[in-house]
Amino acid sequence: MQSAGGLSIAAAVPLALAGCGTGGGTTGGKTPIRFLYATGDDTWNAVAKAVADAFNAKSATAVVELDPLPAGTDYPTAMKTMDATGNWPALVDMRDTLTYLEAGKLAPIPESVSGLLNDEVYAPAEDGDVYIVPTTALNGELGFNMVYDKDYFAEHGLAVPTTYAEFIALLDAIKGNGDAPLATAAGEIWPSDQLWKPLAAPTFAQYSEAGGFWNAVRAGDASIEDLREPLQRLKDITDRYVLEGWQSTQDAQTTTLLVNRQAVMSTSSAGIGRLNDVNKVDPDFNAGIFCLPADDGSLNVLKDDVNGDSASGFAISSQAQEDGGKEYDAAVEFLEFYYSVDACNLMEEAGMIAPNVKAADEIVRNSTIPGAGDYFALLENPNLKFFQNSTAWAGFSTFHTFFRQARIEMQDGQTTIDECIAKSQEEFDNQAEHE
């Protein structure tokens, strides 16, 4: 992600991190703790606030102070700055988990928290302790959807594609009508994944049982050259069908572009959250979602990594254990509330699918969001195939940022596919060598 408004990362991050500092003090007899998280779609922002407000009203001992990092900021870079300044909050929306776990920056999460979750959505590290737990339902990257205008499809006799060839035919049909088929974003670097990952998924899925594509590259059993076909497809779609201005479009802007009918479809990684955003902007907009199918019709979806460097979710900082551990205890209390039925109902009401808790049968699911039925239907789709693509080395996150930028430069015509592959392979090898 890039900094907003041209403000440098170095200048922006300390301001964001210092905004809600607690210094280990108390507020009204309660222990305050910071919760650092990456702002994203409006639904997640609303969920964070709703759950924090409910917890603060309920708890007699703790107060959660939200510490959002503004959209457009490089969140992993911000975490590095936070670490360098020793300014760790008690609760962290974690990235690059393995890196910080190996550095001793994370505290174990007790069974009183992990025991509220289904066993398959968390896992202990090598020392037997759990260090990260999910913020939302672990349905893999099923949230990487195409959000589309159902009324437009109906008006022009278009159907949701069931193969990749049908998807290209759909793009051609929309373009033939004189309309822009697809809006996507790269104003922040991370949304570039939203089109790329579904295109690359069939290739990645081939290495699922062998430990994942990137581990195969590191072992010399695969190379970035193997990604030539999805890179070519990415380039072709960008050149022929994507709405102009994608290089400077922010992720949240795609909702506006869709609702204003500047494009018929838009990429997303927010799942039902994006449908909820669309509904808030225009309650009359008839939105739907579908997953980009492979050549054979398979819907290849990356399974969530519950451990390792690519795992994301809640973590408690080891710094919270200092000064008698009051902040640690407060963080544990908040997570126990977060995975309660009451909190899960708040999440569902706000438009986010609640985490996979053992008491899931007691949660009131929100089926009122237009298009939500499409998402739930995807979970039951017989063509849905989950695959794994975990990475076993902490340096991958640095390479991942580089690879995103290399793809954007290729899409933008600054480099060729050959150049993108060559320099990405060189960077991969350099990162792996210095691991």
Side-chain angles (χ1 to χ4, degrees):
M1 292 177 279
Q2 298 171 335
S3 60
L7 188 63
S8 70
I9 295 292
V13 170
L15 291 173
L17 297 179
C20 296
T22 64
T26 58
T27 301
K30 298 182 180 183
T31 300
I33 55 171
R34 281 169 42 224
F35 169 24
L36 180 75
Y37 64 96
T39 58
D41 60 281
D42 290 342
T43 297
W44 164 236
N45 298 337
V47 165
K49 185 178 187 306
V51 176
D53 287 348
F55 173 80
N56 291 340
K58 179 178 183 294
S59 176
T61 59
V63 172
V64 170
E65 298 177 345
L66 297 178
D67 199 352
L69 201 62
T73 305
D74 188 333
Y75 193 70
T77 299
M79 290 187 63
K80 292 176 183 177
T81 303
M82 172 187 71
D83 184 37
T85 58
N87 194 24
W88 278 86
L91 279 166
V92 188
D93 177 16
M94 203 64 207
R95 305 291 188 275
D96 304 340
T97 303
L98 185 59
T99 301
Y100 293 104
L101 176 59
E102 292 179 346
K105 303 296 183 179
L106 307 183
I109 294 174
E111 196 276 335
S112 64
V113 173
S114 61
L116 299 172
L117 293 160
N118 290 339
D119 294 340
E120 68 271 13
V121 299
Y122 68 93
E126 291 183 0
D127 64 3
D129 287 324
V130 173
Y131 291 91
I132 189 165
V133 283
T135 56
T136 187
L138 292 192
N139 291 326
E141 290 186 347
L142 195 66
F144 279 71
N145 307 128
M146 292 286 174
V147 182
Y148 71 100
D149 184 342
K150 281 189 171 182
D151 289 340
Y152 183 97
F153 272 44
E155 179 183 352
H156 295 279
L158 303 175
V160 169
T162 60
T163 65
Y164 183 74
E166 289 182 6
F167 175 66
I168 296 300
L170 172 65
L171 295 173
D172 282 328
I174 295 171
K175 186 176 180 179
N177 293 335
D179 299 310
L182 182 63
T184 191
E188 309 151 89
I189 192 171
W190 64 268
S192 64
D193 284 351
Q194 294 174 354
L195 181 55
W196 163 251
K197 282 192 171 182
L199 289 171
T203 302
F204 290 154
Q206 295 174 21
Y207 294 84
S208 181
E209 295 183 2
F213 176 78
W214 297 112
N215 290 333
V217 175
R218 195 178 185 201
D221 298 326
S223 72
I224 296 176
E225 174 64 33
D226 296 322
L227 297 176
R228 179 176 291 275
E229 181 178 51
L231 285 170
Q232 184 66 60
R233 288 181 171 183
L234 178 66
K235 174 68 172 169
D236 291 344
I237 291 173
T238 305
D239 287 348
R240 299 174 186 174
Y241 307 111
V242 169
L243 183 68
E244 291 184 8
W246 59 270
Q247 304 95 325
S248 59
T249 300
Q250 302 288 309
D251 180 47
Q253 289 178 284
T254 58
T255 296
T256 303
L257 295 172
L258 184 69
V259 170
N260 288 343
R261 292 176 170 78
Q262 292 173 261
V264 178
M265 299 181 290
S266 70
T267 57
S268 171
S269 55
I272 284 181
R274 182 53 51 86
L275 293 174
N276 195 38
D277 293 343
V278 169
N279 188 50
K280 289 178 181 177
V281 174
D282 183 357
D284 295 325
F285 190 90
N286 189 13
I289 57 175
F290 66 87
C291 283
L292 189 61
D295 290 335
D296 64 357
S298 297
L299 305 180
N300 295 292
V301 173
L302 179 65
K303 186 177 181 180
D304 293 287
D305 187 7
V306 299
N307 224 331
D309 206 48
S310 59
S312 62
F314 284 123
I316 304 176
S317 71
S318 56
Q319 189 172 315
Q321 292 179 311
E322 299 174 1
D323 300 325
K326 288 184 178 180
E327 290 192 10
Y328 176 84
D329 292 341
V332 169
E333 183 185 351
F334 175 75
L335 290 180
E336 289 171 348
F337 174 74
Y338 190 88
Y339 298 118
S340 69
V341 171
D342 287 345
C344 287
N345 282 337
L346 284 175
M347 298 178 211
E348 292 279 343
E349 184 178 348
M352 189 177 90
I353 299 179
N356 307 87
V357 297
K358 289 180 178 176
D361 290 345
E362 301 175 39
I363 297 173
V364 179
R365 299 294 179 184
N366 186 351
S367 59
T368 64
I369 302 169
D374 293 350
Y375 181 89
F376 293 120
L378 286 172
L379 286 170
E380 305 298 326
N381 192 307
N383 292 321
L384 179 64
K385 296 180 179 179
F386 283 106
F387 69 92
Q388 293 183 305
N389 193 29
S390 59
T391 54
W393 55 295
F396 178 75
S397 59
T398 301
F399 166 75
H400 195 190
T401 298
F402 180 93
F403 188 43
R404 284 165 165 162
Q405 188 61 54
R407 295 195 314 263
I408 292 172
E409 291 171 357
M410 179 207 70
Q411 290 174 261
D412 204 19
Q414 299 178 51
T415 61
T416 65
I417 291 178
D418 287 341
E419 290 168 336
C420 176
I421 290 172
K423 72 177 187 178
S424 296
Q425 185 69 61
E426 181 180 5
E427 179 67 16
F428 185 97
D429 294 341
N430 287 339
Q431 291 293 336
E433 181 181 350
H434 293 93
E435 175 65 18

